Amino acid sequence: MNAIDTLPRSAVNATSPTLVHLSGDIDIATGPALRRRLMNTLAYSTGLLVLDLSQVTFCGAAGLGLLVGVQSRARARGITLALTRVPANVDRVLRLSGLAPHFPTTP
């Protein structure tokens, strides 16, 4: 199961980042719904979209593709996509794939 929680639109202002909490698996089964929700989130994101991955239990190749795709769409809108609270298993996948340097992280 995959869940996404975003701050309500009223809680977002132009100077604060848009924070999205993800949980569960990011894989081929959960990817399409998650992609749609993240694309909708980009519509009202500030200049910084932060994905909190602390509750992500698995990220497969489809999940990596999803992250790259969302990052590409974010850049096209002038939005920086950053990751925070990346679990060790997801960090390992990002490093092994060579993608880690392409995703800024926040504390």
Side-chain angles (χ1 to χ4, degrees):
M1 186 78 161
N2 188 282
I4 176 174
D5 295 317
T6 59
L7 292 174
R9 189 181 298 247
S10 62
V12 176
N13 65 46
T15 59
S16 66
T18 302
L19 180 61
V20 178
H21 299 274
L22 302 180
S23 64
D25 295 345
I26 304 174
D27 58 18
I28 197 164
T30 61
L34 180 56
R35 177 177 280 113
R36 280 191 300 276
R37 297 200 57 196
L38 288 174
M39 291 301 143
N40 288 338
T41 300
L42 283 176
Y44 66 86
S45 290
T46 61
L48 177 61
L49 172 60
V50 179
L51 302 182
D52 180 341
L53 304 182
S54 61
Q55 298 299 310
V56 171
T57 53
F58 174 80
C59 183
L64 292 177
L66 180 143
L67 292 175
V68 169
V70 171
Q71 182 184 55
S72 177
R73 295 276 179 100
R75 282 185 181 155
R77 293 175 177 251
I79 298 168
T80 299
L81 175 68
L83 307 177
T84 192
R85 301 179 65 197
V86 181
N89 62 325
V90 176
D91 182 61
R92 183 171 188 267
V93 170
L94 287 168
R95 283 185 292 106
L96 290 173
S97 67
L99 292 173
H102 301 284
F103 287 96
T105 57
T106 63

Coordinates of all heavy atoms in Angstrom, one line a residue:
M1 N 0.8 -1.2 0.0 CA 0.0 0.0 0.0 C 0.9 1.2 0.0 O 1.9 1.3 0.7 CB -0.9 0.0 1.2 CG -1.9 1.1 1.3 SD -3.2 0.6 0.2 CE -4.5 1.5 0.6
N2 N 0.5 2.2 -0.7 CA 1.3 3.4 -0.8 C 0.4 4.6 -0.4 O -0.8 4.7 -0.8 CB 1.7 3.7 -2.2 CG 2.7 4.8 -2.3 OD1 2.3 5.9 -2.3 ND2 4.0 4.5 -2.4
A3 N 0.9 5.5 0.4 CA 0.1 6.6 0.9 C 0.9 7.9 0.6 O 2.1 7.9 0.6 CB -0.2 6.5 2.4
I4 N 0.2 9.0 0.4 CA 0.8 10.3 0.2 C 0.0 11.3 0.9 O -1.3 11.3 0.9 CB 0.8 10.6 -1.3 CG1 1.4 12.0 -1.6 CG2 -0.5 10.5 -2.0 CD1 1.6 12.4 -3.0
D5 N 0.6 12.1 1.7 CA 0.0 13.2 2.5 C 0.7 14.4 2.1 O 1.9 14.5 2.1 CB 0.1 13.0 4.0 CG -0.6 11.7 4.4 OD1 -1.7 11.5 4.0 OD2 -0.1 11.0 5.3
T6 N -0.1 15.4 1.7 CA 0.5 16.8 1.4 C -0.1 17.8 2.4 O -1.2 17.6 3.0 CB 0.2 17.2 0.0 OG1 -1.2 17.2 -0.2 CG2 0.8 16.3 -1.0
L7 N 0.6 18.9 2.6 CA 0.0 19.9 3.4 C -1.2 20.5 2.6 O -1.2 20.6 1.4 CB 1.1 21.0 3.6 CG 2.3 20.7 4.4 CD1 3.3 21.8 4.4 CD2 1.8 20.4 5.8
P8 N -2.2 20.9 3.4 CA -3.3 21.5 2.7 C -2.9 22.8 2.0 O -2.0 23.5 2.4 CB -4.3 21.9 3.8 CG -3.7 21.5 5.1 CD -2.4 20.8 4.8
R9 N -3.6 23.1 0.9 CA -3.2 24.3 0.1 C -3.1 25.6 1.0 O -2.2 26.4 0.8 CB -4.2 24.5 -1.0 CG -3.8 25.6 -2.0 CD -4.9 25.7 -3.0 NE -5.1 24.5 -3.8 CZ -4.8 24.4 -5.1 NH1 -4.3 25.4 -5.7 NH2 -5.0 23.3 -5.7
S10 N -4.0 25.7 1.9 CA -4.0 26.9 2.8 C -2.7 27.0 3.7 O -2.4 28.0 4.2 CB -5.2 26.9 3.7 OG -5.2 25.8 4.5
A11 N -2.1 25.8 3.9 CA -0.9 25.8 4.7 C 0.4 26.1 4.0 O 1.5 26.3 4.5 CB -0.7 24.4 5.4
V12 N 0.3 26.2 2.6 CA 1.4 26.5 1.8 C 1.5 28.0 1.4 O 0.5 28.5 1.0 CB 1.4 25.6 0.5 CG1 2.5 25.9 -0.4 CG2 1.3 24.2 0.9
N13 N 2.7 28.6 1.6 CA 2.8 29.9 1.1 C 4.0 29.9 0.2 O 4.7 29.0 0.0 CB 2.9 30.9 2.2 CG 4.2 30.7 3.1 OD1 5.3 30.6 2.6 ND2 4.0 30.8 4.4
A14 N 4.3 31.1 -0.5 CA 5.3 31.1 -1.5 C 6.7 30.9 -0.9 O 7.6 30.6 -1.7 CB 5.2 32.5 -2.2
T15 N 6.9 31.0 0.4 CA 8.3 30.9 0.9 C 8.5 29.6 1.6 O 9.7 29.2 1.8 CB 8.6 32.0 1.9 OG1 7.7 32.0 2.9 CG2 8.6 33.4 1.2
S16 N 7.5 28.8 1.9 CA 7.7 27.5 2.5 C 7.7 26.4 1.5 O 7.0 26.5 0.5 CB 6.6 27.3 3.6 OG 5.4 27.2 3.0
P17 N 8.5 25.4 1.8 CA 8.5 24.2 0.8 C 7.1 23.5 0.9 O 6.4 23.5 1.9 CB 9.6 23.4 1.3 CG 9.8 23.7 2.7 CD 9.4 25.2 2.9
T18 N 6.8 22.8 -0.2 CA 5.7 21.9 -0.2 C 6.2 20.6 0.3 O 7.2 20.0 -0.3 CB 5.1 21.8 -1.6 OG1 4.7 23.1 -2.1 CG2 3.9 20.8 -1.6
L19 N 5.7 20.0 1.3 CA 6.2 18.8 1.9 C 5.2 17.7 1.6 O 4.0 17.8 1.9 CB 6.4 19.0 3.4 CG 6.9 17.7 4.2 CD1 8.3 17.3 3.7 CD2 6.9 18.1 5.7
V20 N 5.7 16.5 1.1 CA 4.9 15.4 0.8 C 5.4 14.2 1.6 O 6.6 13.9 1.4 CB 4.8 15.1 -0.7 CG1 4.0 13.8 -1.0 CG2 4.3 16.3 -1.5
H21 N 4.6 13.5 2.3 CA 5.0 12.3 3.1 C 4.6 11.1 2.3 O 3.4 10.9 2.0 CB 4.4 12.3 4.5 CG 4.7 13.5 5.3 ND1 5.8 13.5 6.1 CD2 4.1 14.7 5.5 CE1 5.9 14.6 6.7 NE2 4.9 15.4 6.4
L22 N 5.5 10.3 2.0 CA 5.2 9.0 1.2 C 5.4 7.8 2.2 O 6.2 7.9 3.1 CB 6.2 8.8 0.1 CG 6.2 9.9 -1.0 CD1 7.1 9.6 -2.1 CD2 4.8 10.1 -1.6
S23 N 4.6 6.8 2.0 CA 4.8 5.6 2.8 C 4.5 4.3 2.0 O 3.9 4.4 0.9 CB 3.8 5.6 4.0 OG 2.5 5.6 3.6
G24 N 5.0 3.2 2.4 CA 4.8 2.0 1.7 C 5.8 1.8 0.6 O 6.9 2.3 0.6
D25 N 5.4 1.0 -0.4 CA 6.3 0.6 -1.5 C 6.1 1.6 -2.6 O 5.0 2.1 -2.9 CB 5.9 -0.8 -2.0 CG 6.3 -1.9 -1.0 OD1 7.0 -1.6 -0.1 OD2 5.8 -3.0 -1.3
I26 N 7.2 1.9 -3.3 CA 7.1 2.7 -4.6 C 7.6 1.7 -5.6 O 8.8 1.5 -5.8 CB 8.0 4.0 -4.5 CG1 7.6 4.9 -3.3 CG2 7.9 4.7 -5.8 CD1 8.5 6.1 -3.1
D27 N 6.6 1.2 -6.3 CA 7.0 0.1 -7.3 C 6.0 0.2 -8.5 O 5.2 1.1 -8.6 CB 7.0 -1.3 -6.6 CG 5.7 -1.6 -6.0 OD1 4.6 -1.0 -6.3 OD2 5.7 -2.5 -5.1
I28 N 6.1 -0.9 -9.3 CA 5.2 -0.9 -10.5 C 3.7 -0.9 -10.2 O 2.9 -0.4 -10.9 CB 5.6 -2.1 -11.4 CG1 5.1 -1.9 -12.8 CG2 5.2 -3.4 -10.8 CD1 5.7 -2.8 -13.8
A29 N 3.4 -1.5 -9.0 CA 2.0 -1.5 -8.7 C 1.4 -0.2 -8.1 O 0.3 0.1 -8.4 CB 1.8 -2.6 -7.6
T30 N 2.2 0.5 -7.4 CA 1.8 1.7 -6.8 C 2.1 3.0 -7.6 O 1.6 4.1 -7.4 CB 2.4 1.9 -5.4 OG1 3.8 2.0 -5.5 CG2 1.9 0.8 -4.5
G31 N 3.1 2.8 -8.6 CA 3.6 4.0 -9.3 C 2.6 4.8 -10.0 O 2.6 6.1 -9.9
P32 N 1.7 4.3 -10.8 CA 0.7 5.1 -11.6 C -0.1 6.0 -10.7 O -0.2 7.2 -11.0 CB -0.1 4.1 -12.3 CG 0.7 2.9 -12.5 CD 1.5 2.8 -11.2
A33 N -0.7 5.5 -9.6 CA -1.5 6.4 -8.7 C -0.6 7.4 -8.1 O -1.0 8.6 -7.9 CB -2.2 5.5 -7.7
L34 N 0.6 7.0 -7.6 CA 1.5 8.0 -7.0 C 1.9 9.1 -7.9 O 1.9 10.2 -7.6 CB 2.7 7.2 -6.4 CG 3.7 8.1 -5.7 CD1 3.1 8.9 -4.5 CD2 4.8 7.2 -5.1
R35 N 2.2 8.7 -9.2 CA 2.6 9.7 -10.2 C 1.5 10.7 -10.4 O 1.8 11.9 -10.4 CB 3.0 9.0 -11.5 CG 3.3 10.0 -12.6 CD 3.7 9.3 -13.9 NE 5.1 8.9 -13.8 CZ 5.5 7.6 -13.7 NH1 4.7 6.6 -13.8 NH2 6.8 7.3 -13.6
R36 N 0.3 10.2 -10.5 CA -0.9 11.2 -10.7 C -1.0 12.1 -9.6 O -1.1 13.4 -9.7 CB -2.2 10.4 -10.9 CG -2.4 9.8 -12.2 CD -3.8 9.3 -12.4 NE -4.1 8.3 -11.5 CZ -3.8 7.0 -11.6 NH1 -3.2 6.6 -12.7 NH2 -4.2 6.1 -10.7
R37 N -0.8 11.6 -8.3 CA -1.0 12.5 -7.2 C 0.2 13.5 -7.1 O 0.0 14.7 -6.7 CB -1.1 11.7 -5.9 CG -2.4 10.8 -6.0 CD -2.9 10.3 -4.8 NE -3.2 11.3 -3.8 CZ -3.5 11.0 -2.5 NH1 -3.4 9.7 -2.1 NH2 -3.7 11.9 -1.6
L38 N 1.4 13.0 -7.4 CA 2.5 14.0 -7.3 C 2.4 15.0 -8.5 O 2.8 16.2 -8.2 CB 3.8 13.2 -7.4 CG 4.2 12.4 -6.2 CD1 5.4 11.6 -6.4 CD2 4.4 13.3 -5.0
M39 N 1.9 14.6 -9.6 CA 1.7 15.6 -10.7 C 0.7 16.7 -10.3 O 0.9 17.8 -10.6 CB 1.3 14.9 -12.0 CG 2.4 14.1 -12.6 SD 3.9 15.0 -13.0 CE 5.1 13.8 -12.7
N40 N -0.3 16.2 -9.6 CA -1.3 17.2 -9.1 C -0.7 18.1 -8.1 O -1.0 19.3 -8.0 CB -2.5 16.4 -8.5 CG -3.4 15.8 -9.6 OD1 -3.4 16.2 -10.7 ND2 -4.2 14.8 -9.2
T41 N 0.1 17.5 -7.2 CA 0.8 18.3 -6.2 C 1.7 19.4 -6.8 O 1.8 20.5 -6.3 CB 1.7 17.4 -5.3 OG1 0.8 16.5 -4.7 CG2 2.4 18.2 -4.2
L42 N 2.3 19.1 -8.0 CA 3.2 20.1 -8.6 C 2.4 21.3 -9.1 O 2.9 22.4 -9.1 CB 3.8 19.5 -9.9 CG 5.0 18.6 -9.6 CD1 5.5 17.9 -10.9 CD2 6.1 19.3 -8.9
A43 N 1.1 21.1 -9.3 CA 0.3 22.3 -9.7 C 0.2 23.4 -8.7 O 0.0 24.5 -9.1 CB -1.1 21.8 -10.1
Y44 N 0.4 23.1 -7.4 CA 0.3 24.1 -6.4 C 1.6 24.2 -5.6 O 1.6 24.8 -4.5 CB -1.0 24.0 -5.6 CG -1.1 22.8 -4.7 CD1 -0.5 22.8 -3.5 CD2 -1.7 21.7 -5.2 CE1 -0.6 21.6 -2.7 CE2 -1.8 20.5 -4.4 CZ -1.2 20.5 -3.1 OH -1.3 19.4 -2.4
S45 N 2.6 23.5 -6.0 CA 3.8 23.5 -5.2 C 4.5 24.8 -5.2 O 4.4 25.6 -6.2 CB 4.8 22.4 -5.7 OG 4.4 21.1 -5.5
T46 N 5.3 25.1 -4.2 CA 6.1 26.2 -4.1 C 7.4 25.9 -5.0 O 7.5 24.9 -5.7 CB 6.5 26.5 -2.7 OG1 7.2 25.4 -2.2 CG2 5.3 26.8 -1.8
G47 N 8.4 26.8 -4.8 CA 9.7 26.5 -5.6 C 10.4 25.3 -5.1 O 11.4 24.9 -5.7
L48 N 10.0 24.8 -4.0 CA 10.7 23.6 -3.4 C 9.7 22.5 -3.0 O 8.8 22.8 -2.2 CB 11.6 24.0 -2.2 CG 12.3 22.8 -1.5 CD1 13.3 22.1 -2.4 CD2 13.0 23.3 -0.3
L49 N 9.8 21.4 -3.7 CA 8.9 20.2 -3.3 C 9.8 19.2 -2.6 O 10.8 18.7 -3.2 CB 8.3 19.6 -4.6 CG 7.5 18.3 -4.4 CD1 6.4 18.5 -3.5 CD2 7.1 17.8 -5.8
V50 N 9.5 18.9 -1.4 CA 10.3 18.0 -0.6 C 9.5 16.7 -0.4 O 8.3 16.7 0.1 CB 10.6 18.6 0.8 CG1 11.5 17.6 1.6 CG2 11.4 19.9 0.6
L51 N 10.1 15.6 -0.7 CA 9.4 14.3 -0.5 C 10.1 13.6 0.7 O 11.3 13.3 0.7 CB 9.7 13.3 -1.7 CG 9.1 13.8 -3.1 CD1 9.4 12.8 -4.1 CD2 7.7 14.2 -3.0
D52 N 9.3 13.4 1.7 CA 9.7 12.7 3.0 C 9.5 11.2 2.7 O 8.4 10.7 2.6 CB 8.9 13.2 4.2 CG 9.2 12.5 5.5 OD1 9.9 11.5 5.5 OD2 8.9 13.1 6.5
L53 N 10.7 10.5 2.7 CA 10.6 9.1 2.4 C 10.8 8.2 3.6 O 11.0 7.0 3.5 CB 11.7 8.8 1.4 CG 11.7 9.5 0.0 CD1 12.9 9.1 -0.9 CD2 10.4 9.4 -0.7
S54 N 10.7 8.8 4.8 CA 11.0 8.1 6.0 C 10.1 6.8 6.2 O 10.5 5.9 6.8 CB 10.8 9.0 7.2 OG 9.5 9.5 7.3
Q55 N 8.9 6.8 5.6 CA 8.0 5.6 5.8 C 8.0 4.7 4.5 O 7.1 3.9 4.4 CB 6.6 6.1 6.1 CG 6.5 6.9 7.4 CD 7.0 6.0 8.6 OE1 6.5 4.9 8.8 NE2 7.9 6.5 9.4
V56 N 8.9 5.0 3.6 CA 8.9 4.2 2.4 C 9.7 2.9 2.7 O 10.8 2.9 3.2 CB 9.6 4.9 1.2 CG1 9.9 4.0 0.0 CG2 8.8 6.1 0.8
T57 N 9.0 1.8 2.4 CA 9.6 0.5 2.8 C 10.4 -0.2 1.6 O 11.2 -1.0 1.8 CB 8.5 -0.5 3.2 OG1 7.5 -0.5 2.2 CG2 7.9 -0.1 4.6
F58 N 10.1 0.2 0.4 CA 10.7 -0.3 -0.8 C 10.6 0.6 -2.0 O 9.6 1.3 -2.1 CB 10.0 -1.7 -1.2 CG 10.5 -2.3 -2.5 CD1 11.7 -3.0 -2.5 CD2 9.8 -2.1 -3.7 CE1 12.2 -3.5 -3.7 CE2 10.3 -2.6 -4.8 CZ 11.5 -3.3 -4.9
C59 N 11.7 0.7 -2.7 CA 11.7 1.5 -4.0 C 12.4 0.7 -5.0 O 13.6 0.5 -5.0 CB 12.4 2.8 -3.8 SG 12.3 3.9 -5.2
G60 N 11.6 0.2 -6.0 CA 12.2 -0.6 -7.1 C 12.5 0.3 -8.3 O 12.5 1.5 -8.3
A61 N 12.8 -0.3 -9.4 CA 13.2 0.4 -10.6 C 12.0 1.3 -11.1 O 12.3 2.4 -11.5 CB 13.5 -0.6 -11.7
A62 N 10.8 0.8 -11.0 CA 9.7 1.7 -11.4 C 9.6 2.9 -10.5 O 9.3 4.0 -10.9 CB 8.4 0.9 -11.3
G63 N 9.9 2.7 -9.2 CA 9.9 3.8 -8.3 C 11.0 4.8 -8.6 O 10.8 6.1 -8.6
L64 N 12.2 4.4 -9.0 CA 13.2 5.3 -9.5 C 12.8 6.0 -10.7 O 13.0 7.3 -10.8 CB 14.5 4.5 -9.7 CG 15.2 3.9 -8.6 CD1 16.4 3.1 -9.0 CD2 15.6 4.9 -7.5
G65 N 12.2 5.3 -11.6 CA 11.7 6.0 -12.8 C 10.6 7.1 -12.5 O 10.6 8.2 -13.1
L66 N 9.8 6.8 -11.5 CA 8.8 7.7 -11.1 C 9.5 9.0 -10.5 O 9.1 10.1 -10.9 CB 7.9 7.1 -10.0 CG 6.8 8.0 -9.5 CD1 5.6 7.2 -9.2 CD2 7.3 8.6 -8.2
L67 N 10.5 8.8 -9.7 CA 11.2 9.9 -9.1 C 11.9 10.8 -10.1 O 11.8 12.0 -10.1 CB 12.2 9.5 -8.0 CG 11.7 8.8 -6.8 CD1 12.8 8.3 -5.9 CD2 10.8 9.8 -6.0
V68 N 12.5 10.1 -11.1 CA 13.1 10.9 -12.2 C 12.1 11.7 -13.0 O 12.3 12.8 -13.4 CB 14.0 9.9 -13.1 CG1 14.4 10.6 -14.4 CG2 15.2 9.4 -12.3
G69 N 11.0 11.0 -13.3 CA 9.9 11.7 -14.1 C 9.3 12.9 -13.3 O 9.1 13.9 -13.9
V70 N 9.1 12.7 -12.1 CA 8.5 13.8 -11.3 C 9.6 15.0 -11.2 O 9.2 16.1 -11.3 CB 8.1 13.4 -9.9 CG1 7.8 14.5 -9.0 CG2 6.9 12.4 -10.0
Q71 N 10.8 14.6 -11.0 CA 11.9 15.6 -11.0 C 11.9 16.4 -12.3 O 12.0 17.6 -12.3 CB 13.2 15.0 -10.7 CG 14.3 16.0 -10.6 CD 15.7 15.4 -10.3 OE1 16.1 14.5 -11.1 NE2 16.3 15.7 -9.3
S72 N 11.8 15.7 -13.4 CA 11.8 16.4 -14.7 C 10.7 17.3 -14.9 O 10.8 18.5 -15.3 CB 11.8 15.3 -15.8 OG 11.7 15.9 -17.1
R73 N 9.5 16.9 -14.5 CA 8.3 17.8 -14.5 C 8.4 19.0 -13.6 O 8.0 20.1 -13.9 CB 7.0 17.0 -14.2 CG 6.7 15.9 -15.2 CD 5.9 16.5 -16.4 NE 5.6 15.5 -17.4 CZ 4.5 14.9 -17.5 NH1 3.5 15.2 -16.7 NH2 4.3 14.0 -18.4
A74 N 9.0 18.7 -12.4 CA 9.2 19.8 -11.5 C 10.1 20.8 -12.0 O 9.9 22.1 -12.0 CB 9.7 19.2 -10.1
R75 N 11.3 20.4 -12.6 CA 12.2 21.3 -13.2 C 11.6 22.2 -14.3 O 11.9 23.4 -14.4 CB 13.4 20.6 -13.7 CG 14.4 20.2 -12.7 CD 15.6 19.5 -13.3 NE 16.5 19.1 -12.3 CZ 17.4 18.1 -12.4 NH1 17.5 17.5 -13.6 NH2 18.2 17.8 -11.4
A76 N 10.8 21.5 -15.1 CA 10.1 22.3 -16.2 C 9.2 23.4 -15.6 O 8.9 24.4 -16.3 CB 9.3 21.3 -17.0
R77 N 8.8 23.2 -14.4 CA 7.9 24.3 -13.8 C 8.7 25.2 -12.9 O 8.1 26.0 -12.2 CB 6.8 23.6 -12.9 CG 5.8 22.8 -13.7 CD 4.9 22.1 -12.8 NE 3.8 21.4 -13.5 CZ 2.5 21.8 -13.6 NH1 2.2 22.8 -12.9 NH2 1.7 21.1 -14.3
G78 N 10.0 25.0 -12.9 CA 10.9 25.9 -12.0 C 10.9 25.5 -10.6 O 11.2 26.3 -9.7
I79 N 10.5 24.2 -10.3 CA 10.5 23.7 -8.9 C 11.6 22.7 -8.7 O 11.9 21.9 -9.6 CB 9.1 22.9 -8.7 CG1 7.9 23.9 -8.9 CG2 9.1 22.3 -7.4 CD1 6.6 23.2 -9.0
T80 N 12.3 22.8 -7.6 CA 13.3 21.9 -7.2 C 12.7 20.8 -6.4 O 11.9 21.0 -5.4 CB 14.4 22.6 -6.3 OG1 14.9 23.7 -7.0 CG2 15.4 21.7 -5.8
L81 N 13.0 19.5 -6.7 CA 12.6 18.4 -6.0 C 13.7 17.9 -5.1 O 14.8 17.7 -5.6 CB 12.2 17.2 -7.0 CG 11.8 15.9 -6.3 CD1 10.5 16.0 -5.6 CD2 11.7 14.8 -7.4
A82 N 13.4 17.8 -3.8 CA 14.4 17.4 -2.9 C 13.8 16.2 -2.1 O 12.6 16.1 -1.9 CB 14.8 18.5 -1.9
L83 N 14.7 15.4 -1.5 CA 14.3 14.2 -0.7 C 14.8 14.5 0.7 O 15.8 15.1 1.0 CB 15.0 12.9 -1.2 CG 14.8 12.6 -2.7 CD1 15.5 11.4 -3.1 CD2 13.3 12.5 -3.1
T84 N 14.0 14.0 1.7 CA 14.4 14.1 3.1 C 14.0 12.8 3.8 O 13.2 12.0 3.3 CB 13.7 15.3 3.8 OG1 14.3 15.5 5.0 CG2 12.2 15.0 4.0
R85 N 14.8 12.5 4.8 CA 14.6 11.3 5.7 C 14.6 10.1 4.8 O 13.7 9.2 5.0 CB 13.3 11.5 6.5 CG 13.4 12.7 7.4 CD 12.2 13.0 8.2 NE 12.1 11.9 9.2 CZ 10.9 11.6 9.8 NH1 9.9 12.4 9.6 NH2 10.9 10.6 10.7
V86 N 15.6 9.9 4.0 CA 15.7 8.8 3.1 C 16.1 7.5 3.9 O 17.2 7.6 4.4 CB 16.6 9.1 1.9 CG1 16.7 7.9 1.0 CG2 16.2 10.4 1.2
P87 N 15.3 6.5 3.9 CA 15.8 5.3 4.6 C 17.0 4.6 3.9 O 17.2 4.8 2.7 CB 14.6 4.3 4.5 CG 13.5 5.1 3.8 CD 14.0 6.3 3.3
A88 N 17.7 3.9 4.7 CA 19.0 3.2 4.2 C 18.7 2.4 2.9 O 19.5 2.4 2.0 CB 19.6 2.4 5.3
N89 N 17.6 1.6 2.9 CA 17.4 0.8 1.7 C 17.1 1.6 0.5 O 17.6 1.2 -0.6 CB 16.3 -0.2 2.0 CG 14.9 0.5 2.3 OD1 14.9 1.5 2.9 ND2 13.9 -0.2 1.8
V90 N 16.5 2.7 0.6 CA 16.2 3.6 -0.6 C 17.5 4.3 -0.9 O 17.8 4.5 -2.1 CB 15.0 4.5 -0.3 CG1 14.8 5.5 -1.4 CG2 13.7 3.8 0.0
D91 N 18.2 4.8 0.0 CA 19.5 5.4 -0.2 C 20.4 4.5 -1.0 O 21.1 4.9 -1.9 CB 20.1 5.9 1.1 CG 21.4 6.6 0.9 OD1 21.4 7.7 0.2 OD2 22.5 6.1 1.3
R92 N 20.5 3.3 -0.6 CA 21.3 2.3 -1.3 C 20.9 2.1 -2.8 O 21.8 2.1 -3.7 CB 21.2 0.9 -0.6 CG 22.2 -0.1 -1.2 CD 22.2 -1.3 -0.3 NE 23.2 -2.3 -0.7 CZ 23.0 -3.3 -1.6 NH1 21.8 -3.5 -2.0 NH2 24.0 -4.0 -1.9
V93 N 19.6 2.1 -3.0 CA 19.1 1.9 -4.4 C 19.5 3.2 -5.2 O 19.9 3.1 -6.4 CB 17.6 1.7 -4.4 CG1 17.1 1.8 -5.8 CG2 17.3 0.3 -3.8
L94 N 19.4 4.4 -4.6 CA 19.7 5.6 -5.3 C 21.2 5.6 -5.6 O 21.6 6.0 -6.7 CB 19.3 6.8 -4.4 CG 17.8 7.1 -4.4 CD1 17.5 8.1 -3.3 CD2 17.3 7.6 -5.7
R95 N 22.0 5.2 -4.6 CA 23.5 5.2 -4.9 C 23.9 4.2 -5.9 O 24.7 4.5 -6.8 CB 24.2 5.0 -3.6 CG 24.3 6.2 -2.6 CD 25.1 6.0 -1.4 NE 24.5 5.0 -0.5 CZ 25.0 3.8 -0.3 NH1 26.0 3.3 -0.9 NH2 24.4 2.9 0.5
L96 N 23.4 3.0 -5.8 CA 23.7 1.9 -6.8 C 23.3 2.3 -8.2 O 24.0 1.9 -9.2 CB 23.1 0.6 -6.4 CG 23.8 0.0 -5.1 CD1 23.0 -1.3 -4.7 CD2 25.2 -0.4 -5.4
S97 N 22.2 3.0 -8.3 CA 21.7 3.4 -9.7 C 22.4 4.6 -10.2 O 22.3 4.9 -11.4 CB 20.2 3.7 -9.6 OG 20.0 4.8 -8.8
G98 N 23.2 5.2 -9.4 CA 23.9 6.5 -9.8 C 23.0 7.7 -9.8 O 23.4 8.8 -10.2
L99 N 21.8 7.6 -9.2 CA 20.9 8.7 -9.2 C 21.1 9.6 -7.9 O 20.6 10.7 -7.9 CB 19.5 8.2 -9.2 CG 19.1 7.6 -10.6 CD1 17.7 7.0 -10.5 CD2 19.1 8.7 -11.7
A100 N 21.7 9.1 -6.9 CA 21.8 9.9 -5.7 C 22.3 11.3 -5.9 O 21.7 12.2 -5.3 CB 22.7 9.1 -4.6
P101 N 23.3 11.6 -6.7 CA 23.8 12.9 -6.8 C 22.8 13.9 -7.5 O 22.9 15.1 -7.4 CB 25.1 12.8 -7.7 CG 25.4 11.4 -7.6 CD 24.2 10.6 -7.3
H102 N 21.8 13.3 -8.2 CA 20.8 14.1 -8.9 C 19.6 14.5 -8.1 O 18.8 15.3 -8.6 CB 20.4 13.3 -10.1 CG 21.5 12.9 -11.1 ND1 22.1 13.9 -11.9 CD2 22.2 11.8 -11.2 CE1 23.1 13.3 -12.5 NE2 23.1 12.0 -12.2
F103 N 19.6 14.0 -6.8 CA 18.5 14.4 -6.0 C 19.0 15.1 -4.7 O 19.6 14.5 -3.9 CB 17.7 13.2 -5.5 CG 16.8 12.6 -6.6 CD1 17.3 11.5 -7.4 CD2 15.6 13.1 -6.9 CE1 16.5 11.0 -8.4 CE2 14.8 12.6 -7.9 CZ 15.3 11.5 -8.7
P104 N 18.8 16.4 -4.6 CA 19.2 17.1 -3.4 C 18.5 16.5 -2.2 O 17.3 16.1 -2.3 CB 18.9 18.5 -3.6 CG 18.1 18.6 -4.9 CD 18.1 17.3 -5.5
T105 N 19.2 16.5 -1.1 CA 18.5 16.1 0.2 C 18.5 17.2 1.2 O 19.3 18.1 1.1 CB 19.2 14.9 0.8 OG1 20.6 15.2 1.0 CG2 19.2 13.7 -0.1
T106 N 17.5 17.2 2.0 CA 17.4 18.2 3.1 C 17.4 17.4 4.4 O 17.0 16.3 4.5 CB 16.1 19.0 3.0 OG1 14.9 18.1 3.1 CG2 15.9 19.7 1.6
P107 N 17.8 18.1 5.5 CA 17.9 17.5 6.8 C 16.5 17.2 7.3 O 15.5 17.8 6.9 CB 18.6 18.4 7.7 CG 18.7 19.7 6.9 CD 18.3 19.5 5.5

